[in-house]
PDB file of all heavy atoms in Angstrom:
ATOM      1  N   ILE Z  25      43.025 -38.816 -27.142  1.00  0.00           N
ATOM      2  CA  ILE Z  25      41.814 -39.405 -27.731  1.00  0.00           C
ATOM      3  C   ILE Z  25      40.591 -38.957 -26.933  1.00  0.00           C
ATOM      4  O   ILE Z  25      39.489 -38.925 -27.458  1.00  0.00           O
ATOM      5  CB  ILE Z  25      41.939 -40.925 -27.852  1.00  0.00           C
ATOM      6  CG1 ILE Z  25      40.876 -41.472 -28.782  1.00  0.00           C
ATOM      7  CG2 ILE Z  25      41.897 -41.625 -26.494  1.00  0.00           C
ATOM      8  CD1 ILE Z  25      41.204 -42.759 -29.429  1.00  0.00           C
ATOM      9  N   GLN Z  27      39.274 -35.805 -24.344  1.00  0.00           N
ATOM     10  CA  GLN Z  27      39.560 -34.473 -23.803  1.00  0.00           C
ATOM     11  C   GLN Z  27      38.300 -34.003 -23.114  1.00  0.00           C
ATOM     12  O   GLN Z  27      37.242 -33.934 -23.699  1.00  0.00           O
ATOM     13  CB  GLN Z  27      39.903 -33.574 -24.991  1.00  0.00           C
ATOM     14  CG  GLN Z  27      40.498 -32.266 -24.610  1.00  0.00           C
ATOM     15  CD  GLN Z  27      40.929 -31.497 -25.868  1.00  0.00           C
ATOM     16  OE1 GLN Z  27      41.112 -32.088 -26.948  1.00  0.00           O
ATOM     17  NE2 GLN Z  27      41.047 -30.176 -25.744  1.00  0.00           N
ATOM     18  N   ASN Z  61      34.520 -42.689  -2.627  1.00  0.00           N
ATOM     19  CA  ASN Z  61      33.103 -42.942  -2.992  1.00  0.00           C
ATOM     20  C   ASN Z  61      32.405 -41.578  -3.193  1.00  0.00           C
ATOM     21  O   ASN Z  61      32.601 -40.663  -2.390  1.00  0.00           O
ATOM     22  CB  ASN Z  61      32.359 -43.700  -1.867  1.00  0.00           C
ATOM     23  CG  ASN Z  61      32.849 -45.114  -1.701  1.00  0.00           C
ATOM     24  OD1 ASN Z  61      33.159 -45.548  -0.591  1.00  0.00           O
ATOM     25  ND2 ASN Z  61      32.955 -45.862  -2.767  1.00  0.00           N
ATOM     26  N   ARG Z  80      27.393 -28.506 -18.781  1.00  0.00           N
ATOM     27  CA  ARG Z  80      28.306 -27.394 -19.037  1.00  0.00           C
ATOM     28  C   ARG Z  80      29.646 -28.003 -19.364  1.00  0.00           C
ATOM     29  O   ARG Z  80      29.947 -29.091 -18.860  1.00  0.00           O
ATOM     30  CB  ARG Z  80      28.425 -26.553 -17.779  1.00  0.00           C
ATOM     31  CG  ARG Z  80      28.577 -25.069 -18.036  1.00  0.00           C
ATOM     32  CD  ARG Z  80      28.140 -24.246 -16.842  1.00  0.00           C
ATOM     33  NE  ARG Z  80      29.091 -24.346 -15.748  1.00  0.00           N
ATOM     34  CZ  ARG Z  80      28.778 -24.052 -14.482  1.00  0.00           C
ATOM     35  NH1 ARG Z  80      27.537 -23.710 -14.165  1.00  0.00           N
ATOM     36  NH2 ARG Z  80      29.673 -24.154 -13.528  1.00  0.00           N
ATOM     37  N   PHE Z 114      20.236 -57.295 -19.924  1.00  0.00           N
ATOM     38  CA  PHE Z 114      18.757 -57.187 -20.003  1.00  0.00           C
ATOM     39  C   PHE Z 114      18.117 -58.301 -20.838  1.00  0.00           C
ATOM     40  O   PHE Z 114      16.937 -58.433 -20.888  1.00  0.00           O
ATOM     41  CB  PHE Z 114      18.357 -55.811 -20.551  1.00  0.00           C
ATOM     42  CG  PHE Z 114      19.074 -55.482 -21.834  1.00  0.00           C
ATOM     43  CD1 PHE Z 114      18.576 -55.923 -23.044  1.00  0.00           C
ATOM     44  CD2 PHE Z 114      20.279 -54.739 -21.802  1.00  0.00           C
ATOM     45  CE1 PHE Z 114      19.263 -55.637 -24.214  1.00  0.00           C
ATOM     46  CE2 PHE Z 114      20.965 -54.469 -22.976  1.00  0.00           C
ATOM     47  CZ  PHE Z 114      20.459 -54.916 -24.187  1.00  0.00           C
ATOM     48  N   VAL Z 168      30.028 -61.413 -17.983  1.00  0.00           N
ATOM     49  CA  VAL Z 168      29.173 -61.401 -19.180  1.00  0.00           C
ATOM     50  C   VAL Z 168      29.059 -59.969 -19.684  1.00  0.00           C
ATOM     51  O   VAL Z 168      29.126 -59.727 -20.921  1.00  0.00           O
ATOM     52  CB  VAL Z 168      27.789 -61.997 -18.863  1.00  0.00           C
ATOM     53  CG1 VAL Z 168      26.839 -61.809 -20.059  1.00  0.00           C
ATOM     54  CG2 VAL Z 168      27.891 -63.474 -18.531  1.00  0.00           C
ATOM     55  N   MET Z 170      31.221 -57.707 -19.444  1.00  0.00           N
ATOM     56  CA  MET Z 170      32.498 -57.413 -20.068  1.00  0.00           C
ATOM     57  C   MET Z 170      32.551 -58.041 -21.482  1.00  0.00           C
ATOM     58  O   MET Z 170      33.021 -57.431 -22.421  1.00  0.00           O
ATOM     59  CB  MET Z 170      33.608 -57.981 -19.213  1.00  0.00           C
ATOM     60  CG  MET Z 170      34.884 -57.268 -19.256  1.00  0.00           C
ATOM     61  SD  MET Z 170      35.967 -57.853 -17.940  1.00  0.00           S
ATOM     62  CE  MET Z 170      35.285 -56.977 -16.551  1.00  0.00           C
ATOM     63  N   VAL Z 237      39.270 -32.914 -10.843  1.00  0.00           N
ATOM     64  CA  VAL Z 237      40.514 -33.695 -10.855  1.00  0.00           C
ATOM     65  C   VAL Z 237      41.454 -33.115  -9.772  1.00  0.00           C
ATOM     66  O   VAL Z 237      41.801 -31.953  -9.784  1.00  0.00           O
ATOM     67  CB  VAL Z 237      41.200 -33.641 -12.236  1.00  0.00           C
ATOM     68  CG1 VAL Z 237      42.567 -34.319 -12.179  1.00  0.00           C
ATOM     69  CG2 VAL Z 237      40.330 -34.334 -13.272  1.00  0.00           C
ATOM     70  N   GLU Z 244      53.726 -42.999  -9.994  1.00  0.00           N
ATOM     71  CA  GLU Z 244      54.499 -42.557  -8.833  1.00  0.00           C
ATOM     72  C   GLU Z 244      53.738 -41.543  -7.985  1.00  0.00           C
ATOM     73  O   GLU Z 244      54.067 -41.361  -6.843  1.00  0.00           O
ATOM     74  CB  GLU Z 244      55.890 -42.035  -9.247  1.00  0.00           C
ATOM     75  CG  GLU Z 244      55.909 -40.796 -10.136  1.00  0.00           C
ATOM     76  CD  GLU Z 244      55.564 -41.080 -11.605  1.00  0.00           C
ATOM     77  OE1 GLU Z 244      55.455 -42.280 -11.989  1.00  0.00           O
ATOM     78  OE2 GLU Z 244      55.384 -40.113 -12.347  1.00  0.00           O
ATOM     79  N   ARG Z 253      46.640 -39.001   1.186  1.00  0.00           N
ATOM     80  CA  ARG Z 253      45.801 -38.712   2.368  1.00  0.00           C
ATOM     81  C   ARG Z 253      44.584 -37.912   1.921  1.00  0.00           C
ATOM     82  O   ARG Z 253      43.455 -38.223   2.268  1.00  0.00           O
ATOM     83  CB  ARG Z 253      46.630 -37.917   3.396  1.00  0.00           C
ATOM     84  CG  ARG Z 253      46.102 -38.088   4.813  1.00  0.00           C
ATOM     85  CD  ARG Z 253      47.005 -37.406   5.821  1.00  0.00           C
ATOM     86  NE  ARG Z 253      48.411 -37.725   5.742  1.00  0.00           N
ATOM     87  CZ  ARG Z 253      49.391 -36.835   5.463  1.00  0.00           C
ATOM     88  NH1 ARG Z 253      49.097 -35.556   5.248  1.00  0.00           N
ATOM     89  NH2 ARG Z 253      50.638 -37.228   5.371  1.00  0.00           N
ATOM     90  N   LEU Z 269      62.680 -48.021   5.222  1.00  0.00           N
ATOM     91  CA  LEU Z 269      63.738 -49.016   5.172  1.00  0.00           C
ATOM     92  C   LEU Z 269      64.775 -48.739   4.066  1.00  0.00           C
ATOM     93  O   LEU Z 269      65.838 -49.354   4.055  1.00  0.00           O
ATOM     94  CB  LEU Z 269      63.184 -50.438   4.970  1.00  0.00           C
ATOM     95  CG  LEU Z 269      62.297 -51.026   6.058  1.00  0.00           C
ATOM     96  CD1 LEU Z 269      61.760 -52.385   5.612  1.00  0.00           C
ATOM     97  CD2 LEU Z 269      63.070 -51.140   7.359  1.00  0.00           C
ATOM     98  N   GLU Z 282      59.297 -54.506  -9.010  1.00  0.00           N
ATOM     99  CA  GLU Z 282      60.173 -53.455  -8.481  1.00  0.00           C
ATOM    100  C   GLU Z 282      60.651 -53.780  -7.053  1.00  0.00           C
ATOM    101  O   GLU Z 282      61.774 -53.523  -6.694  1.00  0.00           O
ATOM    102  CB  GLU Z 282      59.429 -52.094  -8.467  1.00  0.00           C
ATOM    103  CG  GLU Z 282      59.358 -51.436  -9.845  1.00  0.00           C
ATOM    104  CD  GLU Z 282      58.695 -50.063  -9.833  1.00  0.00           C
ATOM    105  OE1 GLU Z 282      58.568 -49.432  -8.735  1.00  0.00           O
ATOM    106  OE2 GLU Z 282      58.290 -49.594 -10.912  1.00  0.00           O
TER     107      GLU Z 282
END
Side-chain angles (χ1 to χ4, degrees):
I25 196 155
Q27 192 175 338
N61 292 130
R80 214 157 74 200
F114 51 85
V168 172
M170 209 169 282
V237 173
E244 63 284 350
R253 205 175 310 117
L269 295 177
E282 283 184 17

